[in-house]
Amino acid sequence: PDRNQKQKSGNEKIPVHNFLQMEHIADDPDVEGGLLLVGTIKQTIRCFQASQGTRNLDDEGNFYFPYRFNGKPPSEGRVTAIDGDNNGVVYETTFSVEAPLK
């Protein structure tokens, strides 16, 4: 094949940047370890085409990757998408986070 021709594989690499802003650590007797990290995560996904299809879209069509903390899926955790924006290529999503610390 022509070396300038992009080969298609089942796995695409999508550049993602994550920024965690820790607000504080709180006592929480209801979680394992008794401590809870409270903060905000900003996730930026670059060069993603929505036409690639995904189920990880918020109500406004912003694409994101869900987070897992201590092996718990996002549906059981305390991570909530609170804001999103995109220009069709760069997707930025802000999450509110309450993650149990073991």
Side-chain angles (χ1 to χ4, degrees), residues 53-84:
T54 180
R55 63 176 188 233
N56 298 323
L57 292 173
D58 67 14
D59 294 338
E60 297 174 4
N62 294 304
F63 173 72
Y64 65 91
F65 288 110
Y67 290 97
R68 296 175 72 91
F69 287 100
N70 298 324
K72 293 194 182 278
S75 60
E76 295 177 21
R78 298 174 174 178
V79 180
T80 307
I82 56 174
D83 188 29

Side-chain angles (χ1 to χ4, degrees), residues 12 14 45-54 63 88-91:
E12 289 188 50
I14 300 172
I45 302 171
R46 299 187 187 282
C47 304
F48 178 78
Q49 299 297 318
S51 61
Q52 291 172 288
T54 180
F63 173 72
V89 177
V90 177
Y91 290 75

Side-chain angles (χ1 to χ4, degrees), residues 7-50:
Q7 289 192 344
K8 292 185 178 182
S9 69
N11 299 321
E12 289 188 50
K13 293 182 181 180
I14 300 172
V16 178
H17 301 271
N18 297 285
F19 176 74
L20 171 64
Q21 176 185 350
M22 185 176 78
E23 294 171 15
H24 64 275
I25 295 177
D27 290 324
D28 188 341
D30 295 332
V31 300
E32 183 180 345
L35 294 174
L36 194 65
L37 180 143
V38 178
T40 303
I41 295 176
K42 183 172 183 178
Q43 181 184 90
T44 302
I45 302 171
R46 299 187 187 282
C47 304
F48 178 78
Q49 299 297 318

